[in-house]
Amino acid sequence: MQKRYKGIAWWGWAAAAGLYVAAAVVAVEFAWDRAIDALAEVGTHRLDLYSASLKSELGRFETVPALVARQDSVRALLSASPEGAPRLTQAVNAYLEAVNRDVGSGAVDVINADGSVIAASNWDQPVSFVGTNVSYRPYFQDALAQGRGRFFGIGTNTGVPGLYFANAVHQGDTAGDKVIGVAAVKVSVDALESAWRAPGEAAIVVDGNGVIVISTEPAWKFTAMRAMTAGQQRDIQASRQYAGRVVDALPFRRVGEWNETAWFGTFPDLRRAGRTARYLVMARPAPQGHDTIMVLLDTVGARRQQRVAFAFVTGGFLIAVLYALYALQRRRTIAEKLNAQQALRRANDQLETTVVQRTAALTEANERMQREIAERERTEQRLRATQQEVVHAGKLAVIGQMAAGLTHELNQPLVAIRTLCDNARTFLERDQSAQAISNLERVGRLVDSMAVLTGELKAFARKPEVERVAVSLAEAVAHARLIYESRIRDNAVRLDVRIPPAATVYAESSQLQQVIVNLLGNALDAVRDASTRVVTMEAAGPDPHGRVRFSITDSGPGVAPEVLAHLFEPFVTTKPRGQGLGLGLAITLRIVEGFGARISAANCDDGGARFTIEFMAAEPQRAEHGR
Ligand code: ADP
């Protein structure tokens, strides 16, 4: 059976496409999940790190105001009247300057209960805190009210953002003692920000108001992570926490969740201005206060990994499809080859069958032909037998005819002889010897004529094959003329003989004489009763074919039309009984053919008959042998 391999069915393609889509989706999801997991891990590390650095960096400044608050000179300055303490102020200023230098903070200052800065580490700087009033600042208020204050803000004088720690200064060493002022330290977060800066990432610290106070992205600083109510805005303005700035909202959108500590959000792109990018956002409460540390991790890497996974799956799928097509093509080629082989085998088988059939047909035809040949041969044999029978019957008929003719020819003379003999005896008994002798002479003549008859028969029966030699035609004619000399003379026949003396033909002398005797005899018979009695014998040649043409023409009545067609057949005669057997021309034909010559007869226009013989010419001096 011939197999047909079709292409892949539609459902095959559909299944492959489905598989591809599923694989692509799974791969993309998987790549995303893995990348985000990795990113989340990085985020966790970052949060750990930032949290620790916040704690260590800022923690070491936390105790500074408490220590300053316990300083006796500070207490003394705050307790003294303003006008009576210039020396004390100078001493505290020097002390604060030394502390600030030693701990590496931004500034250290002492504030009296009214909120006025009375001493500061930067007392001799162009932008000095001394004399400024910070009563509106929450860290001051908190320190007065609760003993400690903490606050991110922008310096009103300096305009430099920083973290403020504050501690209440008590009159005595116990907590219940009267609060006479506040000691505060301002710490710069610039170092932290630059230390946290990493490509593709942002790290921020959001204070209790939801305002970004530390940010690796400078533009985001002092923007809000959540919408501000009018009251909150008023409070912020009142505290001049952000140096009177209007706090704008950071343009971001929370677009998805990852887990309880991480979510996705679109933020202004860190790399390209004016664009947004998607970040994994992780948050954790800061070690101090109500702040929150946040890290933003760019998901572009995860996207890239997704694309790689997608490309990988697509490539794999393409390779698989190509391989499938190749395999299919290969299978098809093999199938076609097999089919071709099968077809060839079938054709071969068919050919063999055909050959066998044809051979059988041929064999059959051959056998039929053999049978037909055998049949033909049998038919031929039968025909030949029939022919022989016919010939035999013909011969018998001829013999019958001949016997009848002979019987008749011989009976008459025999009867005559019998009568003549009887009469001769009677004449002898009567002694009439003269009559008896006359009778016996007549018997003799009759016997002679009977001898002529038998002679003719003998000549007919004679074998025609003789030795052929060059024979003179003129001599043969002269011989015949001699034989019929008396008849010619008696009948007053004019004999014209025009034979060239040199004319020689292939013949046998006595047979040639017999032929001419026969023909001349017939001619003399024909002219006997004619008014003019002329017999012409002439010869011409040899012609270019080496033929010598001899003819004998008479002025007789010509050959009777009914006889002409059968002239040369035996026993054809028009002569009365006793004068011809009808064998003359038959014998003549046989002899002439024996010479290799041809004889023909025709009637002349003026009435007579003409017999023509075409002899083969022969050189007179050279005798040759022929058949
Ligand atoms: P036969 O002379 O015994 O009859 P042939 O065979 O010689 O036998 O002749 C056959 C016949 O042919 C003759 O009987 C005659 O009718 C015809 N025949 C032969 N020669 C001549 C001739 N020269 N003219 C007319 N008829 C002829």
Side-chain angles (χ1 to χ4, degrees), residues 522-523 526 554 558-559 567 572-575 580-585 609 611:
N522 281 347
D554 62 67
V559 185
L567 205 56
V572 172
T573 180
T574 55
K575 290 170 189 172
L581 269 181
L583 285 173
L585 286 177
F611 286 79

Side-chain angles (χ1 to χ4, degrees), residues 500 502-505 539-549 615-620:
T504 44
V505 296
D543 67 3
H545 303 294
R547 300 254 165 199
V548 173
R549 182 186 289 257
F615 288 103
M616 278 162 46
E619 294 295 320

Side-chain angles (χ1 to χ4, degrees), residues 456 518-527 552-554 556-560 563 566-576 579-588 603 607-611:
E456 269 193 45
N518 277 350
L519 295 175
L520 185 55
N522 281 347
L524 293 174
D525 285 345
V527 299
I552 173 164
T553 314
D554 62 67
V559 185
V563 173
H566 309 283
L567 205 56
F568 296 99
E569 291 172 14
F571 306 112
V572 172
T573 180
T574 55
K575 290 170 189 172
Q579 286 186 22
L581 269 181
L583 285 173
L585 286 177
I587 290 163
T588 299
N603 286 326
R610 174 179 294 146
F611 286 79

